[in-house]
Amino acid sequence: MMSVYALPAVLALCTFQSMGQTTHPAPASKTGEPYELAGKRLVFTSWYYVRPGSFAWVDDKGNGVTVVGSQGPWEAHFRRHDYPHGIRLVVMPAQKVGPVIHFERPWEGKGVHIATLIHHEGKYKGWGGCQAADGKRFACYFESKDGTAWERPNLGLVEFQGSKDNNLLASSPGTVFIDPAGPAEERYKAVSEGAVPKEKVEAFKKRRPDAWEHRSERADVGQTFGILGAVSADGLNWRHLDDPLAIEHCDTQVVAYYDQRLRKYVIYTRNWMVGPRYPGAPDDRGLSWLNIGRRSIGRTESENFREFPLSQVILEPGPEMLPSDTLYTNCKTTIPGAPDHHLLFPTVWHTSDDTCSVVVASSHDGKIWHNLPGGPVLTTGPFGAWDGGCVFASPNLVEMPNGDFVLPYTGYIFPHKYPRGQWRFQTGYAVWAKGRLVALEAVDRGEFATVAIMPPGRKLRINALTQRAGSIVIEVVGPDGQPIAGRTFAEAKPIIGDQYKTLVTWKDHHDLGHKDGTHILLRFRMEKAKLFGLDFEG
């Protein structure tokens, strides 16, 4: 009888031999294997890199008889190939660390927080805000060599109590990102929400009528809101763009980045789960969209950082959430070392008791999103704690020198809508030790294979955890659909216990064994194990 790991020839040709071997992104009209990784890290945050596999009904000789056969009820046999089973995805809860920046300066009397964290050029850089005891707010900048001990560089930009020896910025740029495609004078870019003067609104409507929507006009506060942009050569001296990028209601945490695959700028903002109004209804303010609209997350993209279309909803409160829960902030980021692994850490605002929790959603392209099971990863602290009122995550997820993943979050001593006269806020870290954020887990026994990929290195290191009685073994498959010599399951050294960036080996072989310029897929057999990620090197 045919092995359960073998595949009828017809199915093999259909599922594997049609793969190309280019190392460059395929034209938009072509899809399929092999995939190219944007970095050297692969983390299973969705089923995108897991093969759906195939199955067939075969006769006693192993010939496929699916659909076309005439076998009786007991004469055909079920066989599967690279069929994922016994596995699941689950997000891991974060450990809280903080506050990581304490009140030390007079301009920080009521609070200090990091709104954007970036690891760049060997430094951890933080842009955020602070509030003095008299209520006056400032934008500020921090630096750290290790992401733990934070310094306040004397920027000499803003005078405070007669001195410019401080880390204050002349204005708040918003949420910062580094643009790899822009000119040197605009290496740093930022987006934010803000009120747009009436005269600019009217001019904008005439010039770009399709990039304006009526919800931007908030009659309750008498202002019109839009997405604003800023640019900088050094991240410290900012020039705010004259015109809004788009005019829409987008308050609280607008996040942007440059997508190198799309070659476009992408913005994530607030949008609303709200339907169209009956066109024949009278102009009744009592039927305001704000009364029925549930906060959601929107997305917009553009080749030109100066002009964006209106955002479209990409994630809204689903039926798994309570009707009193809403998505408040988006916290768009990526897996460190894997810029094509997109993540959201939305804050879920529980209006039933004015508390918050942070969940995780993932996407393979930044457009289609799915909530990861196993959350939340962060919750409001206990009453009286520094983060016992509410918590909001901020980009970006970064890797620490010891391999931990950390995500900054702002904790408030009071609930979000509590009287704010005596509020305090500080920054903490949500920490995933050893970068163990999402697990592909086999509770008992499980198997799967990856899609074919162009390996960005000749060696493979694994981040995994198994029970004492568990293990993981890996097989490497070449372009012909057959295991590469010396890299079979039988020759694989089992991965057992707590293994962090451990080199995967097969008897005397320490590399993947593929020919340069060819693709591979990886097969996994897991038992009582969690797989957190793969790193390619060499």
Side-chain angles (χ1 to χ4, degrees), residues 160-204:
F160 183 88
Q161 295 181 353
S163 173
K164 289 187 176 181
D165 291 338
N166 56 59
N167 64 324
L168 302 181
L169 299 174
S171 61
S172 175
T175 306
V176 178
F177 70 99
I178 297 174
D179 180 5
E185 63 270 20
E186 297 185 5
R187 185 185 191 191
Y188 292 83
K189 288 183 169 66
V191 291
S192 62
E193 55 85 17
V196 182
K198 185 176 181 180
E199 61 275 11
K200 285 194 175 184
V201 173
E202 297 305 318
F204 188 95

Side-chain angles (χ1 to χ4, degrees), residues 113-118 124-128 140-144 150:
H113 77 110
I114 291 177
T116 307
L117 174 61
I118 295 177
Y124 294 86
K125 303 179 180 181
W127 291 262
C140 50
Y141 172 78
F142 301 88
E143 283 187 353
S144 175
W150 286 95

Side-chain angles (χ1 to χ4, degrees), residues 262-532:
L262 295 176
R263 297 181 182 177
K264 291 182 179 181
Y265 298 96
V266 182
I267 297 177
Y268 290 83
T269 183
R270 171 172 295 171
N271 209 302
W272 301 82
M273 180 184 178
V274 59
R277 189 168 184 261
Y278 171 58
D283 186 13
D284 185 350
R285 296 286 181 180
L287 297 177
S288 168
W289 64 271
L290 197 57
N291 293 337
I292 61 170
R294 284 184 168 83
R295 291 171 172 87
S296 303
I297 296 171
R299 178 188 182 277
T300 179
E301 64 180 41
S302 174
E303 295 179 354
N304 179 5
F305 184 67
R306 265 63 174 178
E307 296 183 352
F308 285 80
L310 295 174
S311 68
Q312 302 296 314
V313 173
I314 49 91
L315 189 64
E316 62 183 21
E320 76 281 2
M321 294 173 60
L322 296 175
S324 55
D325 288 348
T326 188
L327 295 172
Y328 206 77
T329 53
N330 66 76
C331 189
K332 166 63 173 67
T333 183
T334 57
I335 290 285
D340 50 353
H341 291 43
H342 302 275
L343 295 176
L344 297 174
F345 286 87
T347 290
V348 179
W349 182 24
H350 308 288
T351 62
S352 60
D353 60 359
D354 205 1
T355 60
C356 297
S357 61
V358 176
V359 297
V360 188
S362 69
S363 172
H364 67 273
D365 61 2
K367 301 176 183 179
I368 301 172
W369 291 89
H370 304 280
N371 288 318
L372 283 171
V377 296
L378 192 69
T379 58
T380 299
F383 178 69
W386 68 272
D387 62 352
C390 52
V391 292
F392 299 95
S394 297
N396 286 287
L397 186 70
V398 300
E399 187 169 7
M400 302 293 272
N402 66 352
D404 291 353
F405 287 177
V406 303
L407 184 75
Y409 76 94
T410 303
Y412 294 80
I413 193 171
F414 291 147
H416 183 48
K417 292 301 181 181
Y418 196 81
R420 298 177 180 177
Q422 299 184 49
W423 77 342
R424 299 288 188 275
F425 56 91
Q426 291 176 274
T427 286
Y429 282 158
V431 181
W432 290 271
K434 300 181 180 179
R436 293 173 173 176
L437 172 60
V438 183
L440 190 154
E441 180 182 27
V443 176
D444 191 12
R445 293 182 178 178
E447 297 184 15
F448 76 97
T450 67
V451 298
I453 59 174
M454 298 301 300
R458 298 202 58 81
K459 294 183 178 182
L460 183 67
R461 293 188 179 275
I462 191 170
N463 185 359
L465 180 67
T466 79
Q467 295 183 29
R468 186 181 296 273
S471 66
I472 299 174
V473 289
I474 303 172
E475 180 173 83
V476 187
V477 179
D480 60 356
Q482 299 301 314
I484 293 177
R487 279 78 176 177
T488 65
F489 282 129
E491 296 161 298
K493 180 180 178 181
I495 305 296
I496 300 174
D498 189 334
Q499 302 294 336
Y500 175 66
K501 293 189 177 181
T502 299
L503 185 66
V504 178
T505 61
W506 297 264
K507 288 190 175 179
D508 297 327
H509 297 294
H510 296 77
D511 61 30
L512 294 168
H514 63 289
K515 294 181 180 179
D516 290 341
T518 62
H519 53 259
I520 63 170
L521 66 80
L522 301 171
R523 289 176 177 153
F524 290 79
R525 292 181 185 171
M526 302 173 61
E527 186 169 0
K528 302 182 187 302
K530 293 178 180 178
L531 171 60
F532 299 101

Side-chain angles (χ1 to χ4, degrees), residues 173-174 190-198 200-201 204 208 211-218 221 223-230 240-255 267-270 300 306 308-311:
V191 291
S192 62
E193 55 85 17
V196 182
K198 185 176 181 180
K200 285 194 175 184
V201 173
F204 188 95
R208 300 182 59 206
W212 165 86
E213 55 97 15
H214 75 283
R215 291 198 300 268
S216 63
E217 296 181 339
R218 286 283 300 274
V221 295
Q223 290 182 319
T224 299
F225 293 91
I227 302 176
L228 310 179
H240 294 265
L241 302 181
D242 292 334
D243 296 320
L245 310 182
I247 293 184
E248 62 176 87
H249 194 293
C250 56
D251 69 310
T252 312
Q253 197 184 77
V254 185
V255 181
I267 297 177
Y268 290 83
T269 183
R270 171 172 295 171
T300 179
R306 265 63 174 178
F308 285 80
L310 295 174
S311 68

Side-chain angles (χ1 to χ4, degrees), residues 63-246:
N63 298 314
V65 294
T66 302
V67 181
V68 298
S70 59
Q71 279 70 20
W74 313 108
E75 296 175 330
H77 313 286
F78 187 77
R79 296 291 181 265
R80 59 192 177 194
H81 179 75
D82 289 338
Y83 202 79
H85 62 280
I87 60 174
R88 65 178 184 179
L89 293 175
V90 58
V91 68
M92 301 288 102
Q95 300 174 346
K96 283 186 178 182
V97 174
V100 296
I101 300 178
H102 296 277
F103 304 150
E104 295 180 4
R105 306 297 168 85
W107 52 86
E108 300 169 352
K110 283 198 171 185
V112 57
H113 77 110
I114 291 177
T116 307
L117 174 61
I118 295 177
H119 185 211
H120 183 60
E121 297 178 335
K123 292 182 180 180
Y124 294 86
K125 303 179 180 181
W127 291 262
C130 54
Q131 188 171 5
D134 62 3
K136 189 174 181 180
R137 298 187 181 189
F138 300 90
C140 50
Y141 172 78
F142 301 88
E143 283 187 353
S144 175
K145 295 179 181 179
D146 58 6
T148 301
W150 286 95
E151 299 176 354
R152 298 166 173 81
N154 289 329
L155 304 179
L157 299 176
V158 177
E159 183 175 312
F160 183 88
Q161 295 181 353
S163 173
K164 289 187 176 181
D165 291 338
N166 56 59
N167 64 324
L168 302 181
L169 299 174
S171 61
S172 175
T175 306
V176 178
F177 70 99
I178 297 174
D179 180 5
E185 63 270 20
E186 297 185 5
R187 185 185 191 191
Y188 292 83
K189 288 183 169 66
V191 291
S192 62
E193 55 85 17
V196 182
K198 185 176 181 180
E199 61 275 11
K200 285 194 175 184
V201 173
E202 297 305 318
F204 188 95
K205 287 182 182 180
K206 293 178 181 179
R207 188 175 73 257
R208 300 182 59 206
D210 294 336
W212 165 86
E213 55 97 15
H214 75 283
R215 291 198 300 268
S216 63
E217 296 181 339
R218 286 283 300 274
D220 56 331
V221 295
Q223 290 182 319
T224 299
F225 293 91
I227 302 176
L228 310 179
V231 295
S232 172
D234 58 5
L236 304 176
N237 296 275
W238 290 90
R239 175 170 61 89
H240 294 265
L241 302 181
D242 292 334
D243 296 320
L245 310 182

